[in-house]
Amino acid sequence: MQRFLNDPNEVVDDTIQGYLYHNHDIQILPQNQRVVKLKKINKKVALVSGGGSGHEPSFVGYVKRGLLDAAAIGEVFSSPTAKSFLDAFKAADQGEGVACIFGNYSGDNMNVKSAILDAEDEGINVRYVVSRDDIASAPKEKQEKRHGIAGLYYMWLVAGQVADRGGKLDSVCNAAQKAADNTRSICVGLHELILPAVGHPNFHIKDGTYEMGIGHHGEEGLETYPIEPANKIAERMSNALIDDLDLKSGNEVAVMLSGLGSTPISEQYILLRGVEEVLNKHKIKTVRTDVGNLVTSLNMNGAALTFMKLDGDLKPLLPSTSYS
């Protein structure tokens, strides 16, 4: 395995330190090297998230004005500790309450809820909203079991707008929940990822095939297909999301196409073109597109497609700023 690494066991700390060299408006907490925060946080409802490393720029890369005020960072594909979430709440809180928006994984759920109880003891009001956008991780009738993946990005955008406009904690969380309820994602993989500390894949995608519905942590997909033209792959992904969201002619959506780590940007745009053709065929209007390595999965060769169904409440909350 040829990678730009020092010690594979130090990849998270090296990543954070490198990010700090490039971004001078954030800092790590002296007492907790796994918490990143804005140096100056405005007096408003604070937005906090967190999760395992390996999805960069999530989570550290979205500690930005208009998005997250602080983030707790875990080991690769592992939840941050309850202490890290608590320290992030304390660092971000400006007396207006904290909205914690994170993905639905057992470790994150357990540690966030534990940290919230400790925060309450310290007089910090924290509410949480969970993303469950990965349609491949559980069937539609068991949506509560679905994992949160790339859809977090739109939840942060929407919640950040409400917070920056002076919205109270309930309003911020309600907006994030509405974004979550109207957002779905699916991933495809062309080649498996390799964990830095392990040095080999945990499953294998055969040459000449791709897998639909792979997990963001390198889990095997639901279905395997012979490799097809990009337009056909885009069609399969798009139709799965259209069906799950029950999109109809005349609906409006925001579309995110994220590479998973080693997918060329050119191929991401080729996929996006195919997605747009499908949406046009269904007479579904795209209001916003975000393309790039926005939520990755180490060095996975593949893509995540996300749709957020828009209405009169969500559409005005999409900022003009794009982070892609």
Side-chain angles (χ1 to χ4, degrees), residues 25-27 36-41 63-66 68-70:
D25 58 345
I26 65 171
Q27 64 186 55
V36 179
K37 68 175 288 287
L38 286 171
K39 288 181 178 178
K40 180 175 175 54
I41 301 174
V63 180
K64 296 178 180 290
R65 297 286 171 204
L68 301 175
D69 297 295

Side-chain angles (χ1 to χ4, degrees), residues 149-189:
I149 52 172
L152 279 167
Y153 178 78
Y154 282 138
M155 294 170 67
W156 297 332
L157 286 180
V158 166
Q161 287 291 292
V162 177
D164 281 357
R165 295 175 188 180
K168 300 300 182 184
L169 182 58
D170 283 350
S171 297
V172 172
C173 291
N174 289 343
Q177 186 62 61
K178 184 157 194 178
D181 292 342
N182 287 278
T183 300
R184 303 288 190 274
S185 300
I186 191 166
C187 299
V188 296

Side-chain angles (χ1 to χ4, degrees), residues 21-39:
Y21 278 118
H22 180 61
N23 296 271
H24 304 296
D25 58 345
I26 65 171
Q27 64 186 55
I28 54 176
L29 298 187
Q31 73 274 23
N32 190 333
Q33 303 294 296
R34 295 298 179 84
V35 175
V36 179
K37 68 175 288 287
L38 286 171
K39 288 181 178 178

Side-chain angles (χ1 to χ4, degrees), residues 243-257:
D243 289 346
D244 205 274
L245 269 173
D246 195 27
L247 292 173
K248 306 294 184 185
S249 174
N251 287 157
E252 295 182 321
V253 293
V255 176
M256 180 173 74
L257 196 292

Side-chain angles (χ1 to χ4, degrees), residues 29 31-32 35 37 70 82-92 115:
L29 298 187
Q31 73 274 23
N32 190 333
V35 175
K37 68 175 288 287
K83 183 180 185 304
S84 289
F85 277 115
L86 176 61
D87 286 345
F89 298 158
K90 292 163 67 175

Side-chain angles (χ1 to χ4, degrees), residues 48-97:
V48 170
S49 190
S53 296
H55 303 300
E56 287 74 24
S58 282
F59 292 84
V60 60
Y62 294 125
V63 180
K64 296 178 180 290
R65 297 286 171 204
L67 287 173
L68 301 175
D69 297 295
I73 311 300
E75 290 292 339
V76 174
F77 297 165
S78 297
S79 172
T81 64
K83 183 180 185 304
S84 289
F85 277 115
L86 176 61
D87 286 345
F89 298 158
K90 292 163 67 175
D93 182 44
Q94 301 298 305
E96 302 294 325

